[in-house]
Amino acid sequence: MSASVQSSIWETVLEHTKVAQEKESDPLLWAVQLSARLSSAGVSLPSVEVADLLVSHICWGNNVAIAWKFLEQALLIKIVSPMPVLALLSTRILLIYLELFGFSTIFYCMEEIGNVDDVFNDLTILDLLGFEVVPNRRYCPRAYRLYLELIKRHAFTLKSQIDGTHYQKVLKFVDSVLHLSSAFGLQTSEPEILVVEFIFSMVLMLLDASLDDEGLIELTPEKKSRWTTSTHDMEIDSHDGYDEKRTDLHERLQKINTVIAIDLIGQLLQNKGTSKILYLARRNMPTHWAVFLHRIQLLAANSSALKNSKVITPEALLQLTSDTRVVLSRKCKTSSLQKFHAVMAFGSLASAGLCGASGSALWLPLDLVFEDAVDGSLVSATSAIETITGLIKVLQAINGTTWHDTFLGLWIAALRFVQRERDPIEGPMPRLDTRLCLLLSITTLVVADLIEEEERTASDETKYSSTNHWKEKVVPGKCRKDLVSSLQMLGEYEGLLTLPQSVISVANQAAAKAMMFVSGINIGSAYFEFISMKDMPINCSGNMRHLIVEACIARNLLDTSAYFWPGYVNGHISQIPHGIPPQVPGWSSFMKGASLTPTMINVLVSTPASSLAELEKVFEIAVRGTDDEKISAATILCGASLIRGWNMQEHTVHFIIRLLSPPVPADYSGCDSHLIAYAPMLNMLLVGIASVDCVQIFSLHGLVPHLAGSLMPICEVFGSFVPNVSWTLTTGEEINAHAVFSNAFILLLRLWRFNHPPLEHVVGDVPPVGSQLTPEYLLLVRNSHLVSSGTIHNRNKTRLSAVASSSSEQPIFLDSFPKLKVWYRQHQACIASTLSGLVHGTPIHQIVEGLLNMMFRKINRGNQSLSSVTSGSSSSSGPGSEDPLRPKLPAWDILEALPFVVDAALTACAHGRLSPRELATGLKDLADFLPASLATIVSYFSAEVTRGVWNPVDMNGTDWPSPAANLSHVEEQIRKILAATGIDVPSLPTGGKSPATLPLPLAAFASLTITYKIDRASQRFLNLAGPALESLAADCPWPSMPIVASLWTQKAKRWSDFLVFSASRTIFLHNRDAVVQLLKSCFSATLGLKTTPISRNGGVGALLGHGFGSHFCGGISPVAPGILYLRAYRSIRDVVFMAEEIVSLLMHFVREITTSQLSGERSEKLRKAKNEMKYGQISLGAALAKVKLIASLAASLVWLSGGLCLFQALIKETLPSWFISIHRSEQEEGLGGMVAMLGGYALAYFTMLCGAFVWGVDSSSSASKRRPKILGCHMEFLASALDGNISLGCDCATWRAYVSGFVSLMVGCTPSWVLEVDVNVLKRVSKGLRQWNEEELALALLGIGGVGTMAAAAQLIVETQL
């Protein structure tokens, strides 16, 4: 249509209106005629041009009643749309005649003003000047009143306004009038977003106008309105109409208008539709919403009009804008899904009778992670603080618990973890010290990090932040207060607070300290260890809570007001106990300048430091003191301060790492590395931290990568140093470079599974957990902490960054250590293929000959070199070295030759040139000469065992040691352990009466290990050899491991239970059925379906029991299935198989739950028809609670077994395949589809938990960076199936329950995930949910999808009037 034609139409409309106005025609007739003319002219209705024309006509000289009636009829028969009219009237004056729209009944306050006609007869010229309504509301209160009433009438009828075919044009016109796009800054062309902006702009203008009317706008940071609401200055003195009576009338109208405007704000926030529209503004316009929220709070605190309102109170207004208010709920029409939501909430498991008062079942994953963290077979490159912190966030989000309940669950789980070590078995495994570290140091640091993050978030949210604006606002200090309340309630769990024997005195000292503080008695902390309970006038025995509180006080989580908690101390005393000596050596006297005498050193070694200043002083002595002082300082740091210094442990391990990389002395001028000068101190540190518990403590604190980075330079330097210099320690022991190198090298190798063959890395598509640990990976993690040091706000990562930068501010790479790199490449080659390349006459060959002659110098073999029969070696032979002295060679040169040495010796034994005893003696001599040789021996034997080229040998007691004395007993014990755990393996072969045999490499290595003494000096080497021996035996045919265990139980009888248990867990590497049975036993025990005493009640206690040990007469006690699984799963290489079985077992036990809960029990209740419905609801809730429990177990097992890689395979392959396959059964159909529905919910909860465990609920973990891609693939699968593009084989009820449950959990628990999913995928999933009549859930999904889904969400709100 040309411009001239359009102009003609609008002139005709205006002329028609003027004529009708002059004739005072019937408004309806005028509207009908106008509609007909516009339709015949091809004008689409409603028309924004007509709206503009009519508003302009009224406001610029035709402010008469008939004109307003025309506008009303135009709105009624939809010639014009309300939104353009409201937008236009927001910028123009409204001359009001209230009777036109029948508002005299609405304006209840007008009765106080007087006759309406009299009011409007009193209009002045000001009402005709064309002023804007809102800015001039004080001078034209009547116009502002009508504006408010138009909003009230039309703002809540969005559906009728958007239904039209030309709504896009209408909204664009509104945007052009109010400039919404530029005002809110949303770069989008979708018209539905303009609806959100329009409603939000109305609320903002009303709010600013109300603040301005009450003089509160000056209290805002901007001190002005962001919208055009401020009153314009006007010259009114010349207008005679403004007499005293009129001024009073205006003031009364203004006050009434302010109340109405505030009431209208409340209505817009309360209305079902507009409140959801405003929620979209809250999520996607953070800056504007922050301003709005601040001004709402200002209004609520200071507005007299709000206080006088009869419609809304200040508290109600604040609640309407609170982030805790659920606007887009996950309420679903499906009753079962409603029950699913209810069961997902905190307390549901308790109500189902599954967890008791402590809610232990809610925290089952936490118990499993605690137990998994102390598996001595593997250390972790990730801090336990990071792992547990992430897990706590996940469980709190999924369970919907408060911080009080979360902290209480954390403390209880950690205490249960310690109590499982009440009667431990003996053996080379982490003990009570590791468990106490996890409770009193790691868990406390986790709490500290959570509180710091909460308080930092609370501080950030006091400002206008553009990020994380939709998260629940937290009250500063709320998290800390919940910690206090949780610890106060913890005193009620007396059974968990029972003290292990070794810490009774420490807890008693803590209780005595609190009692003296409460009594006003002040003595130094050094004196508390001398307090005897007999000296105290009243009982002040402590418990585990006293230790926890002291750990929290040391980290500023609590203050000494905790000593005054009810029941924390038993009373008061009036004087210092008599048993305290007047002066004692200890940390206090040390800090005052006392010298390091032997007595002082012994005290400091046996007493943990209580302050950072004490540790700093010891560190300074270690760096700058004399040689003896350095050794003493290292001894002190590796003493009680490391093992039992829980309050300062994170600082102690930091100082030890720093000392392993000591600074170059200022006066150092030698040509060798400065580390040589620190040899005695370094050796003391290496020996001091070599125990299993110490290594685990470093692992829990996340310092394994840093420890590796500090050990590598020591290995490089001392391994290259000729051992022609020795150092005498304070104990009189002499050490050389070989000793320092060996201690460092063996400790370094314990930090990753160096001896495992390549087979571990290639079975299946997913590597087992821990197989990724390599020297390169450890350095990569260490360097990542260094790089991120300036960009992090996490306390734990800050600590790790500080440790990394303190040892070296530059990244460390394996190439920085050429000797270590050469050995590592040779080690990899040795594992991958047979030996080759030994050439006669080369330096390596000469070293090989010299070492062989050293090992077997007492054996007369006709002067023939053993290397001449080396497999894969050169066929040439030479005279070899006859030097009886040990070679003075650098350790790296010896290690390079060792594979050929061990190969030659083993080959000679296989050919009968060496007896087994001579082989074992020679290998032991080699290991005594260079203890680091043990690493190459392990590496070589591990590789040779997997090749299967060596004949087995008879362990007959003549040539090789015999296990016959107790092999049958060991095998019987293994069967008992497996049977007690619910595992029956009838195909398990036994040694019986047939000769016991082992492959030659395993027999040789086992014979070597049993030559070691069980003492502290040998322990650090056995800590490397022991796990390697178990791994070797596990790779050999059954019953190799029972034979090895039998040999070792003859040597170390007190380790027999540990050895038998270790042997029993290797069966799972050989038998898949045993793995399935073990998993099934874990599920049965958790649900309480087993009849054994240990698992009768189900839950965490049945799954994990009370550890394992010889609690009963006649042998080892039953081992809880969870413990057995956690100690065995790392040996199972096909983890994808385990994941598939876990999913299968999950669905199996859903059927078990349904059958027992909803069939068998209901049949009894059906006799009473009136109670049937009620009972059915109770049964469904209880069944869902049990489903949640086993899904939590299943998710935990998958996460621990394979981590990110396994979950990726699960979500991309296993689950889609499961849904596509057919799983129906007659039994399920007979239960009315309940099994199918519960199965879908179980899979939803299982998948959500798996993802949350792996990725975290936020983006703080490195694994979260992979979340968008993997989650996107799964959501695409859901969308494609909902679109009908994928044919599903599972039951429809299962699929519907899964999709609804998964989306519901994602929306309610991990909303940040939704932002990472493609917008189109979200829209498709939402569309599928709407097809199931789940509009609320569909809207909730779109509502948190960001700006990209805001338009679709707004459209859904308007269309469905949700």
Side-chain angles (χ1 to χ4, degrees):
M1 187 181 297
S2 64
S4 59
V5 175
Q6 284 187 345
S7 177
S8 175
I9 293 174
W10 308 139
E11 290 176 359
T12 302
V13 171
L14 186 57
E15 183 62 29
H16 172 69
T17 302
K18 289 180 179 180
V19 171
Q21 181 177 316
E22 292 174 358
K23 295 181 178 180
E24 296 187 354
S25 301
D26 180 61
L28 179 59
L29 177 61
W30 167 85
V32 171
Q33 291 174 348
L34 179 61
S35 177
R37 289 191 178 189
L38 292 172
S39 298
S40 62
V43 177
S44 301
L45 299 180
S47 169
V48 295
E49 292 85 0
V50 174
D52 191 15
L53 188 68
L54 293 178
V55 172
S56 298
H57 171 72
I58 293 173
C59 294
W60 295 106
N62 292 278
N63 180 39
V64 292
I66 192 66
W68 287 102
K69 291 183 178 180
F70 288 165
L71 180 59
E72 179 191 23
Q73 286 298 329
L75 286 166
L76 290 175
I77 68 173
K78 298 184 179 181
I79 295 176
V80 295
S81 177
M83 290 180 68
V85 172
L86 285 173
L88 290 165
L89 292 178
S90 297
T91 59
R92 296 190 179 144
I93 189 169
L94 302 179
L95 301 180
I96 309 172
Y97 188 68
L98 298 182
E99 288 187 345
L100 294 178
F101 295 102
F103 289 167
S104 57
T105 57
I106 301 175
F107 288 1
Y108 58 88
C109 55
M110 280 301 176
E111 296 179 358
E112 301 179 6
I113 299 176
N115 186 273
V116 175
D117 289 331
D118 292 339
V119 172
F120 284 92
N121 288 334
D122 200 27
L123 291 175
T124 69
I125 190 65
L126 287 176
D127 300 316
L128 303 175
L129 293 180
F131 300 118
E132 297 174 350
V133 173
V134 178
N136 296 286
R137 62 194 176 280
R138 295 184 185 175
Y139 307 108
C140 301
R142 305 169 187 80
Y144 186 46
R145 174 67 61 82
L146 180 57
Y147 175 75
L148 296 177
E149 293 300 332
L150 286 175
I151 293 177
K152 184 184 297 185
R153 174 171 292 191
H154 295 289
F156 304 104
T157 58
L158 296 175
K159 179 175 173 56
S160 62
Q161 301 179 47
I162 304 301
D163 278 347
T165 57
H166 304 287
Y167 75 96
Q168 295 188 14
K169 181 180 179 181
V170 169
L171 291 172
K172 288 181 179 179
F173 177 79
V174 171
D175 185 29
S176 67
V177 173
L178 296 178
H179 308 290
L180 297 174
S181 297
S182 58
F184 292 105
L186 295 181
Q187 303 299 320
T188 179
S189 59
E190 296 177 280
E192 291 82 1
I193 291 182
L194 293 172
V195 176
V196 180
E197 294 175 331
F198 175 74
I199 296 296
F200 193 26
S201 67
M202 294 294 103
V203 176
L204 287 171
M205 285 190 285
L206 292 173
L207 176 59
D208 279 7
S210 301
L211 289 171
D212 190 33
D213 288 344
E214 298 199 77
L216 302 176
I217 200 71
E218 293 295 325
L219 300 180
T220 63
E222 300 86 355
K223 298 187 182 299
K224 63 179 182 179
S225 171
R226 294 195 174 192
W227 298 85
T228 312
T229 59
S230 298
T231 303
H232 291 178
D233 293 332
M234 299 180 62
E235 294 293 337
I236 64 175
D237 294 342
S238 59
H239 302 291
D240 298 333
Y242 279 88
D243 54 19
E244 183 178 348
K245 178 180 178 182
R246 182 175 180 81
T247 301
D248 181 64
L249 174 62
H250 274 233
E251 290 178 354
R252 295 172 64 186
L253 282 172
Q254 290 168 12
K255 291 180 180 180
I256 295 171
N257 286 349
T258 302
V259 174
I260 293 175
I262 293 174
D263 291 346
L264 190 53
I265 292 172
Q267 292 173 28
L268 288 167
L269 289 168
Q270 286 176 316
N271 180 264
K272 189 177 181 181
T274 55
S275 65
K276 291 179 170 63
I277 292 290
L278 291 172
Y279 174 80
L280 298 179
R282 184 176 89 187
R283 287 195 57 87
N284 300 290
M285 304 175 190
T287 304
H288 294 282
W289 186 263
V291 174
F292 167 71
L293 191 60
H294 178 265
R295 299 192 176 203
I296 280 287
Q297 294 167 350
L298 185 64
L299 185 74
N302 301 280
S303 172
S304 58
L306 177 57
K307 295 176 182 177
N308 295 329
S309 173
K310 298 180 181 179
V311 177
I312 192 169
T313 63
E315 295 76 16
L317 187 62
L318 291 175
Q319 179 59 35
L320 289 173
T321 56
S322 170
D323 284 352
T324 60
R325 182 189 178 214
V326 179
V327 180
L328 298 188
S329 69
R330 293 172 287 160
K331 180 181 178 182
C332 300
K333 296 182 178 180
T334 306
S335 60
S336 60
L337 190 54
Q338 294 176 8
K339 178 65 73 173
F340 173 71
H341 293 158
V343 171
M344 293 304 106
F346 173 63
S348 58
L349 292 179
S351 65
L354 291 176
C355 60
S358 66
S360 61
L362 288 171
W363 313 104
L364 182 145
L366 196 55
D367 287 84
L368 290 169
V369 167
F370 280 155
E371 280 296 339
D372 186 65
V374 294
D375 182 1
S377 66
L378 185 68
V379 296
S380 174
T382 304
S383 166
I385 301 170
E386 179 181 344
T387 301
I388 296 172
T389 300
L391 180 58
I392 287 294
K393 291 179 181 179
V394 169
L395 294 177
Q396 190 202 30
I398 300 296
N399 293 328
T401 57
T402 63
W403 279 118
H404 166 87
D405 295 320
T406 301
F407 286 144
L408 185 61
L410 175 61
W411 293 123
I412 290 175
L415 286 167
R416 279 198 301 264
F417 169 70
V418 171
Q419 294 301 329
R420 292 191 196 104
E421 191 72 4
R422 298 295 298 173
D423 189 13
I425 62 176
E426 291 193 52
M429 54 184 288
R431 306 294 296 276
L432 182 62
D433 289 330
T434 302
R435 293 177 180 263
L436 289 173
C437 164
L438 213 155
L439 167 64
L440 299 174
S441 183
I442 300 302
T443 302
T444 312
L445 290 170
V446 167
V447 173
D449 286 356
L450 291 169
I451 290 178
E452 181 188 50
E453 181 179 349
E454 181 258 4
E455 293 180 345
R456 184 179 64 249
T457 303
S459 176
D460 292 343
E461 288 178 348
T462 59
K463 305 174 183 178
Y464 294 154
S465 174
S466 60
T467 59
N468 296 332
H469 57 282
W470 56 83
K471 291 184 179 178
E472 179 181 354
K473 297 295 187 296
V474 289
V475 179
K478 176 69 167 60
C479 195
R480 194 179 294 267
K481 291 177 181 177
D482 283 350
L483 169 65
V484 172
S485 63
S486 70
L487 287 173
Q488 289 174 335
M489 184 174 288
L490 190 63
E492 300 176 7
Y493 298 86
E494 296 181 1
L496 290 174
L497 299 177
T498 305
L499 291 163
Q501 187 66 33
S502 62
V503 294
I504 289 178
S505 61
V506 182
N508 289 343
Q509 292 165 21
K513 175 183 176 182
M515 180 175 290
M516 291 185 182
F517 183 88
V518 171
S519 303
I521 299 175
N522 183 24
I523 63 173
S525 60
Y527 295 87
F528 285 113
E529 63 180 295
F530 295 95
I531 295 178
S532 171
M533 292 301 102
K534 297 179 181 179
D535 299 327
M536 299 297 291
I538 60 177
N539 178 27
C540 65
S541 57
N543 57 33
M544 291 301 298
R545 186 169 69 141
H546 290 94
L547 297 180
I548 294 173
V549 168
E550 288 300 318
C552 290
I553 292 175
R555 295 176 174 88
N556 297 319
L557 300 176
L558 301 174
D559 55 32
T560 50
S561 64
Y563 297 157
F564 295 91
W565 292 348
Y568 191 77
V569 296
N570 294 328
H572 295 71
I573 59 175
S574 58
Q575 60 183 1
I576 299 177
H578 300 292
I580 297 181
Q583 186 175 3
V584 295
W587 286 102
S588 296
S589 55
F590 170 69
M591 294 301 290
K592 294 176 181 178
S595 59
L596 287 175
T597 63
T599 302
M600 175 67 76
I601 293 171
N602 290 336
V603 171
L604 300 186
V605 168
S606 60
T607 308
S610 59
S611 69
L612 180 58
E614 294 169 351
L615 293 173
E616 288 174 338
K617 184 171 182 178
V618 174
F619 176 78
E620 289 300 318
I621 293 175
V623 173
R624 295 183 173 86
T626 65
D627 289 344
D628 287 346
E629 287 178 336
K630 290 177 180 178
I631 295 175
S632 299
T635 305
I636 293 169
L637 284 177
C638 296
S641 294
L642 173 62
I643 300 298
R644 292 191 290 110
W646 309 295
N647 300 346
M648 292 286 128
Q649 200 169 57
E650 66 271 26
H651 302 293
T652 304
V653 291
H654 182 182
F655 283 125
I656 291 175
I657 293 291
R658 290 178 63 183
L659 279 184
L660 288 172
S661 302
V664 180
D667 57 347
Y668 185 78
S669 59
C671 58
D672 295 324
S673 170
H674 73 284
L675 294 177
I676 299 297
Y678 288 100
M681 182 195 72
L682 291 174
N683 188 75
M684 182 59 65
L685 290 171
L686 295 169
V687 173
I689 65 175
S691 69
V692 173
D693 280 306
C694 286
V695 173
Q696 285 296 314
I697 287 171
F698 277 89
S699 175
L700 292 175
H701 282 278
L703 294 180
V704 165
H706 306 79
L707 183 58
S710 296
L711 292 175
M712 288 180 187
I714 298 175
C715 293
E716 189 72 17
V717 169
F718 286 92
S720 304
F721 194 76
V722 178
N724 52 14
V725 177
S726 62
W727 300 273
T728 302
L729 305 180
T730 55
T731 59
E733 178 188 358
E734 286 194 2
I735 61 170
N736 58 16
H738 280 182
V740 179
F741 169 79
S742 294
N743 288 328
F745 189 60
I746 287 179
L747 183 57
L748 176 64
L749 296 187
R750 288 170 59 192
L751 304 184
W752 82 87
R753 305 178 82 176
F754 80 102
N755 61 299
H756 283 247
L759 180 64
E760 175 171 322
H761 299 264
V762 300
V763 173
D765 297 328
V766 180
V769 171
S771 60
Q772 76 277 10
L773 288 180
T774 63
E776 296 96 334
Y777 178 76
L778 292 176
L779 291 179
L780 179 65
V781 174
R782 183 262 173 198
N783 294 340
S784 69
H785 293 153
L786 187 67
V787 172
S788 63
S789 59
T791 59
I792 54 179
H793 302 286
N794 178 280
R795 176 184 290 193
N796 180 57
K797 292 183 178 179
T798 301
R799 281 191 295 265
L800 296 177
S801 297
V803 175
S805 59
S806 65
S807 58
S808 174
E809 295 183 355
Q810 301 300 322
I812 300 176
F813 303 99
L814 195 60
D815 291 337
S816 305
F817 314 105
K819 295 289 187 180
L820 175 61
K821 183 178 179 180
V822 168
W823 174 87
Y824 182 57
R825 299 306 179 209
Q826 183 191 43
H827 158 74
Q828 290 180 310
C830 177
I831 290 181
S833 61
T834 56
L835 286 175
S836 62
L838 181 62
V839 179
H840 175 70
T842 60
I844 294 297
H845 182 266
Q846 294 174 7
I847 295 173
V848 170
E849 293 291 338
L851 291 173
L852 288 172
N853 284 306
M854 178 198 73
M855 295 165 61
F856 308 112
R857 58 184 177 273
K858 298 179 182 179
I859 304 171
N860 182 9
R861 288 290 185 264
N863 202 32
Q864 182 181 6
S865 171
L866 291 176
S867 65
S868 62
V869 292
T870 301
S871 62
S873 302
S874 171
S875 60
S876 61
S877 61
S881 172
E882 297 294 331
D883 187 358
L885 300 177
R886 293 177 173 181
K888 297 286 186 178
L889 295 172
W892 287 123
D893 294 348
I894 296 174
L895 289 182
E896 187 177 0
L898 276 184
F900 302 102
V901 172
V902 179
D903 184 61
L906 193 66
T907 303
C909 183
H911 292 177
R913 300 187 62 245
L914 278 179
S915 69
R917 185 178 299 275
E918 291 168 341
L919 174 63
T921 302
L923 292 175
K924 184 61 166 62
D925 287 343
L926 177 62
D928 289 342
F929 164 60
L930 180 65
S933 302
L934 192 59
T936 298
I937 294 172
V938 168
S939 174
Y940 174 80
F941 284 155
S942 297
E944 293 303 311
V945 159
T946 61
R947 295 189 181 110
V949 297
W950 300 92
N951 292 326
V953 296
D954 291 334
M955 311 299 289
N956 51 22
T958 303
D959 299 320
W960 298 94
S962 172
N966 59 349
L967 179 58
S968 297
H969 175 72
V970 168
E971 290 179 332
E972 182 61 26
Q973 289 291 85
I974 291 174
R975 285 186 173 276
K976 286 183 178 180
I977 289 176
L978 297 177
T981 315
I983 300 169
D984 179 24
V985 188
S987 61
L988 179 66
T990 61
K993 297 182 180 180
S994 60
T997 61
L998 289 178
L1000 177 59
L1002 177 57
F1005 190 51
S1007 299
L1008 169 63
T1009 59
I1010 62 177
T1011 63
Y1012 280 88
K1013 295 180 179 180
I1014 309 299
D1015 56 18
R1016 191 171 185 272
S1018 300
Q1019 189 65 56
R1020 57 183 180 273
F1021 306 121
L1022 288 176
N1023 289 339
L1024 177 73
L1029 178 62
E1030 181 181 343
S1031 177
L1032 254 69
D1035 285 332
C1036 295
W1038 190 269
S1040 296
M1041 188 59 203
I1043 292 173
V1044 171
S1046 299
L1047 294 174
W1048 259 96
T1049 53
Q1050 295 176 37
K1051 178 179 179 62
K1053 289 184 172 55
R1054 69 178 189 272
W1055 286 5
S1056 60
D1057 289 345
F1058 168 78
L1059 294 167
V1060 169
F1061 175 77
S1062 298
S1064 66
R1065 64 188 181 184
T1066 59
I1067 184 61
F1068 304 105
L1069 185 61
H1070 299 272
N1071 193 301
R1072 278 193 170 191
D1073 291 339
V1075 176
V1076 176
Q1077 290 182 45
L1078 177 58
L1079 287 169
K1080 188 173 183 179
S1081 183
C1082 289
F1083 281 90
S1084 297
T1086 304
L1087 288 173
L1089 300 180
K1090 298 181 66 176
T1091 58
T1092 58
I1094 194 175
S1095 61
R1096 184 177 301 159
N1097 297 323
V1100 175
L1103 177 65
L1104 299 177
H1106 302 284
F1108 46 88
S1110 297
H1111 304 306
F1112 305 128
C1113 296
I1116 193 169
S1117 67
V1119 181
I1123 294 291
L1124 190 56
Y1125 181 83
L1126 291 175
R1127 300 296 176 261
Y1129 77 83
R1130 287 185 173 90
S1131 300
I1132 305 171
R1133 297 190 178 115
D1134 191 357
V1135 292
V1136 174
F1137 157 75
M1138 287 197 296
E1140 293 171 347
E1141 287 300 323
I1142 288 171
V1143 172
S1144 177
L1145 286 171
L1146 173 62
M1147 303 309 292
H1148 167 77
F1149 280 97
V1150 167
R1151 288 191 291 273
E1152 291 285 328
I1153 292 169
T1154 309
T1155 302
S1156 62
Q1157 195 74 32
L1158 300 180
S1159 295
E1161 296 180 6
R1162 181 178 291 179
S1163 62
E1164 298 295 328
K1165 295 292 181 178
L1166 285 177
R1167 300 175 184 177
K1168 300 181 180 180
K1170 63 179 181 180
N1171 293 328
E1172 178 184 353
M1173 181 59 68
K1174 181 178 179 181
Y1175 179 77
Q1177 294 172 352
I1178 295 174
S1179 296
L1180 178 59
L1184 277 168
K1186 291 184 178 181
V1187 165
K1188 175 182 178 180
L1189 179 61
I1190 61 169
S1192 174
L1193 170 63
S1196 302
L1197 296 181
V1198 168
W1199 174 42
L1200 293 173
S1201 301
L1204 175 64
C1205 294
L1206 182 57
F1207 175 66
Q1208 182 171 335
L1210 176 79
I1211 204 168
K1212 295 177 68 174
E1213 300 173 14
T1214 305
L1215 287 178
S1217 298
W1218 192 94
F1219 285 119
I1220 292 173
S1221 304
I1222 298 176
H1223 305 280
R1224 292 189 182 92
S1225 70
E1226 294 181 1
Q1227 182 184 11
E1228 293 177 18
E1229 293 173 357
L1231 292 173
M1234 190 61 68
V1235 172
M1237 181 197 69
L1238 289 177
Y1241 292 147
L1243 285 175
Y1245 192 72
F1246 162 74
T1247 306
M1248 172 55 64
L1249 266 185
C1250 277
F1253 289 159
V1254 170
W1255 297 324
V1257 294
D1258 51 26
S1259 299
S1260 60
S1261 69
S1262 57
S1264 64
K1265 295 179 176 61
R1266 303 188 185 184
R1267 183 171 58 215
K1269 182 178 180 181
I1270 302 174
L1271 180 62
C1273 290
H1274 190 59
M1275 293 298 289
E1276 173 63 33
F1277 171 75
L1278 300 187
S1280 297
L1282 290 171
D1283 292 341
N1285 297 328
I1286 296 178
S1287 298
L1288 300 175
C1290 66
D1291 192 286
C1292 294
T1294 301
W1295 175 245
R1296 178 167 180 169
Y1298 176 79
V1299 175
S1300 301
F1302 183 79
V1303 173
S1304 178
L1305 288 169
M1306 186 166 63
V1307 168
C1309 305
T1310 59
S1312 60
W1313 293 12
V1314 181
L1315 295 171
E1316 299 170 350
V1317 181
D1318 181 75
V1319 170
N1320 292 325
V1321 172
L1322 291 177
K1323 291 179 180 178
R1324 290 161 58 198
V1325 173
S1326 176
K1327 180 181 177 182
L1329 291 171
R1330 291 179 63 187
Q1331 292 173 351
W1332 289 340
N1333 295 322
E1334 301 291 359
E1335 289 87 358
E1336 287 278 4
L1337 185 56
L1339 175 58
L1341 178 64
L1342 294 175
I1344 62 173
V1347 177
T1349 59
M1350 184 166 66
Q1355 183 178 5
L1356 182 57
I1357 292 170
V1358 173
E1359 289 180 354
T1360 59
Q1361 295 182 341
L1362 288 174

